[in-house]
Amino acid sequence: MHIRDWPEGERPREKLLAHGAGSLSDAELLAIFLGSGTAGRDAVASARDLLAGNGGLRALLDREPKAMTRLRGIGPARACALAAALELGHRHLAAQLERGEMLGDPAAAGRYFAQRLRGLAHEVFAALFLDTRHRALGFEELFRGSIDGAEVHPRALVERALARGAAAVIIGHNHPSGNPEPSAADRAVTARIKQALGLVDIRLLDHFVIGDGPPLSMAARGLV
């Protein structure tokens, strides 16, 4: 049966318009981008096949656009549409913080770090600089490393915080392995950074470790 022959309340587009995008499954959201299915399969079934065969939604969308074009049912046009939609999501979240909004919800910073750093093949250390009211002043990727780690220099972070006129800083880095558990090195560098920032009266609010699942807050663990 073609999707147009489904009951109206079950069609992905109609569900989205009636109940919002959050009411759709991963496969239904992907099906809207696909528009149509492959031979003998409607768009939702094709989307389910893509998700099942490629490790789920995150693994699928983490692929480079050129790699997506080789997947059955996607091709260049759909690969470009998916990559563009993902980038729009990143920029929308970035705009919320980078236009100076107050971070009333600490978890918002964790989500932002996850959007910027998750899925990268190499470890990246970044900082979000805040004013006295915890409004975002800017975000910078400061250090890049190999798949095993990034060498972090607290002095460089302090210099950037002073240049930004920051009163507080949130830092974060990704674990390409997917395991967000802080290592001994993560704990040590957090302590060094907190001490270095404290010498110039700048607060370190949190250190997020980005892996699979929700961002891990080291402050919530009592490690900041």
Side-chain angles (χ1 to χ4, degrees):
M1 183 183 294
H2 194 279
I3 288 177
R4 64 171 173 265
D5 299 319
W6 292 11
E8 185 171 331
E10 296 180 12
R11 301 174 202 163
R13 290 174 183 168
E14 283 75 3
K15 282 179 64 177
L16 188 152
L17 291 172
H19 306 293
S23 67
L24 273 63
S25 67
D26 290 350
E28 289 170 329
L29 288 169
L30 183 55
I32 289 177
F33 275 97
L34 295 179
S36 61
T38 55
R41 308 283 282 171
D42 60 47
V44 174
S46 296
R48 289 185 183 129
D49 291 344
L50 280 166
L51 294 173
N54 292 281
L57 186 64
R58 179 188 160 191
L60 176 65
L61 296 182
D62 279 347
R63 287 173 175 263
E64 293 293 329
K66 284 186 178 180
M68 279 194 199
T69 65
R70 296 190 289 269
L71 298 178
R72 185 170 183 263
I74 292 190
R78 289 169 174 170
C80 288
L82 285 168
L86 189 62
E87 182 61 23
L88 281 172
H90 292 338
R91 294 186 187 188
H92 176 262
L93 183 58
Q96 293 178 32
L97 296 180
E98 291 173 356
R99 69 186 177 206
E101 288 192 2
M102 186 177 296
L103 291 172
D105 176 13
R111 292 192 295 271
Y112 182 59
F113 276 95
Q115 288 279 5
R116 296 294 295 261
L117 304 180
R118 179 173 286 154
L120 298 177
H122 296 83
E123 193 162 305
V124 174
F125 179 94
L128 181 63
F129 302 101
L130 310 171
D131 67 10
T132 55
R133 296 175 62 189
H134 293 178
R135 292 175 301 188
L137 298 171
F139 178 90
E140 295 185 28
E141 293 184 8
L142 296 174
F143 310 107
R144 285 180 171 264
S146 65
I147 198 169
D148 299 313
E151 187 175 358
V152 176
H153 304 282
R155 177 178 175 178
L157 173 58
V158 171
E159 289 175 349
R160 294 306 304 148
L162 290 172
R164 290 272 191 175
V169 176
I170 299 173
I171 57 177
H173 75 284
N174 63 310
H175 281 180
S177 67
N179 180 5
E181 192 64 28
S183 66
D186 294 338
R187 298 174 187 230
V189 77
T190 302
R192 287 166 49 212
I193 288 172
K194 182 177 181 180
Q195 182 181 35
L197 289 171
L199 293 174
V200 291
D201 295 322
I202 298 174
R203 292 181 61 203
L204 178 64
L205 299 181
D206 208 339
H207 184 172
F208 288 99
V209 185
I210 307 303
D212 293 330
L216 186 146
S217 165
M218 291 183 66
R221 292 276 190 95
L223 300 174
V224 174

